[in-house]
Amino acid sequence: MVQRIDVECKNESYPIFIGELPQKLEFEGSVLVVTNSKVAGIHLRTLLQCIYAKECFVCVLEDGEEYKNIQSVQRILETAFIHKLDRQSTMIAFGGGVVGDIVGFAAGIFMRGISFVQIPTTLLAQVDASIGGKTAINNKFGKNLIGLFHQPKAVYVNPFFLGTLSHREKSSGIAEIIKMAVMFDKDFFEWLSMQNLQGSSLLEAIMRAILIKKEVVVKDELERGVRMALNYGHTFGHVIEKETQYKQYLHGEAVSMGMIMANRLAVQLGYLSVDEEFRIQKILEKNDLPIYYKIPSMESFYQSLFLDKKNENHQIRFILPHNIGRFIPCTHLSKAEIMRTLEEFCDD
Ligand code: GLY
């Protein structure tokens, strides 16, 4: 059975369909499917069989966070121009969070913006990245620093695609599910703590995470308030990804280590108990997520925190758990307070 959840944003609403892809995905204009080499090898034929459009073209990108850059956007745009896409055309993002973010960005700037559809194939993209219209690419200064908000026309979440994910990819998506539970829903956290996420329990976790994500996006589409809580673990995690050249860790793995750092800061500031910190660590470990990043240089790590998009007036804004199930944004911390946390991740 296919379930439908509507995301009611200010200017447009769009549906998230959870379940099998429809047998016919119909489009009025031309379609450009953008995917990566890995997904293309496994699932592209299945998708192309469903698409009914005037014309359908395909652009295959390299797989990996290190390709989430301006060159990949350039490739998509060139393919779109070569095949004479116009404002009636639609781009389809078929892949994980990287593909979704790049395609959303390309669709948002092509001819000042055309429609795009998200068909996420990873757990991380299904529960988080494909919903809410955040698009971005990385540059040498940091992660997701170039981008825009461009909501998709529809999101198709088909759990069938998760069958071919590696264990690491699955764990990476679970990190984002845990993030949502810690920030917004203590009962969900308690429930997650008791599950081995697979089969029907994974499906339930996907559904609950999507409902949380939808609520947050509807309340705060442009991330002026509550949506910032979805960045728990990301302030630190993005620096970890940048320091390791986007090659060593999957996004969810970096977020997992980032949540551990955020928790330490929250404990030091009195927002989280040591017992709660331990419980969050346990659930990350249980899902085979890394929990310790050794900071090579504290000063350089500290400076990189200043490039986060949530910052204002050169103040780093951390999103910290305030017990489990609530959050607190935290600015105005002194360098000494932040360094005290970073020190715990530095062996020297
Ligand atoms: N992935 C975080 C957000 O969409 O706000």
Side-chain angles (χ1 to χ4, degrees):
M1 200 185 66
V2 176
Q3 309 225 37
R4 174 181 174 142
I5 295 173
D6 286 296
V7 185
E8 285 124 15
C9 290
K10 269 213 180 70
N11 295 324
E12 53 191 328
S13 303
Y14 57 92
I16 304 169
F17 298 102
I18 303 155
E20 277 180 26
L21 276 182
Q23 284 180 346
K24 270 189 169 186
L25 274 174
E26 290 181 284
F27 299 91
E28 281 181 6
S30 307
V31 166
L32 175 61
V33 177
V34 184
T35 186
N36 66 39
S37 47
K38 199 156 123 197
V39 175
I42 313 173
H43 298 301
L44 186 58
R45 260 167 57 108
T46 314
L47 176 68
L48 293 180
Q49 280 164 1
C50 308
I51 294 179
Y52 287 74
K54 210 170 89 193
E55 294 168 299
C56 181
F57 308 101
V58 176
C59 173
V60 181
L61 304 174
E62 300 298 324
D63 175 35
E65 184 77 39
E66 67 266 40
Y67 297 101
K68 191 172 157 181
N69 53 28
I70 196 74
Q71 286 76 23
S72 296
V73 174
Q74 190 63 18
R75 278 192 56 194
I76 298 171
L77 295 178
E78 281 194 9
T79 311
F81 285 119
I82 287 168
H83 294 300
K84 300 190 173 51
L85 263 66
D86 59 25
R87 283 182 162 167
Q88 269 58 56
S89 305
T90 301
M91 291 189 191
I92 297 182
F94 186 48
V98 172
V99 168
D101 278 12
I102 305 177
V103 178
F105 182 57
I109 59 173
F110 180 74
M111 296 192 175
R112 298 214 176 97
I114 63 167
S115 297
F116 85 111
V117 166
Q118 289 270 19
I119 307 184
T121 57
T122 64
L123 181 58
L124 186 142
Q126 294 194 347
V127 296
D128 191 7
S130 65
I131 304 159
K134 272 192 183 174
T135 79
I137 52 171
N138 308 328
N139 70 357
K140 70 174 182 183
F141 294 98
K143 172 136 171 149
N144 292 345
L145 294 180
I146 301 169
L148 39 82
F149 285 95
H150 185 48
Q151 299 293 342
K153 271 276 164 283
V155 182
Y156 293 90
V157 171
N158 183 358
F160 163 80
F161 292 126
L162 305 182
T164 52
L165 279 190
S166 68
H167 185 68
R168 269 184 81 195
E169 288 273 8
K170 183 181 154 201
S171 295
S172 178
I174 292 175
E176 299 282 11
I177 296 177
I178 294 169
K179 167 194 84 176
M180 295 196 211
V182 175
M183 289 288 97
F184 297 108
D185 191 337
K186 185 162 192 313
D187 290 344
F188 187 25
F189 181 86
E190 300 299 344
W191 180 83
L192 282 174
S193 311
M194 291 181 303
Q195 304 299 322
N196 283 317
L197 290 174
Q198 48 197 321
S200 60
S201 65
L202 182 60
L203 278 185
E204 182 168 346
I206 291 173
M207 188 56 102
R208 288 176 82 160
I210 289 176
L211 282 169
I212 293 176
K213 177 80 195 243
K214 173 235 151 149
E215 291 280 310
V216 172
V217 168
V218 168
K219 277 194 195 129
D220 180 20
E221 187 182 337
L222 301 180
E223 196 177 280
R224 306 271 191 253
V226 66
R227 187 165 179 176
M228 284 187 205
L230 294 173
N231 286 303
Y232 163 47
H234 288 58
T235 313
F236 293 109
H238 284 173
V239 179
I240 295 172
E241 288 185 274
K242 181 184 152 224
E243 286 200 341
T244 51
Q245 284 82 46
Y246 305 103
K247 287 185 183 150
Q248 196 170 335
Y249 298 109
L250 297 175
H251 177 61
E253 293 173 335
V255 168
S256 170
M257 294 181 283
M259 287 192 277
I260 291 286
M261 289 181 175
N263 292 351
R264 198 78 288 268
L265 183 57
V267 170
Q268 288 176 345
L269 296 171
Y271 296 127
L272 192 70
S273 71
V274 172
D275 178 55
E276 289 169 314
E277 179 187 36
F278 182 68
R279 293 194 64 206
I280 301 171
Q281 179 177 321
K282 277 278 142 242
I283 192 172
L284 294 170
E285 282 179 321
K286 182 175 156 191
N287 286 289
D288 296 326
L289 284 156
I291 51 153
Y292 183 75
Y293 176 70
K294 183 177 176 307
I295 297 176
S297 155
M298 271 174 39
E299 185 58 32
S300 144
F301 195 100
Y302 174 75
Q303 291 304 333
S304 294
L305 291 169
F306 282 92
L307 280 164
D308 192 86
K309 294 185 297 307
K310 294 184 300 305
N311 298 344
E312 270 173 23
N313 300 323
H314 307 293
Q315 291 276 338
I316 306 167
R317 189 195 305 263
F318 294 99
I319 305 295
L320 304 178
H322 193 190
N323 303 118
I324 292 173
R326 283 192 301 156
F327 68 93
I328 179 156
C330 215
T331 34
H332 306 295
L333 294 184
S334 67
K335 181 170 181 181
E337 281 172 306
I338 298 168
M339 286 303 208
R340 190 163 57 130
T341 295
L342 297 188
E343 254 165 33
E344 302 211 17
F345 298 90
C346 203
D347 286 351
D348 311 333

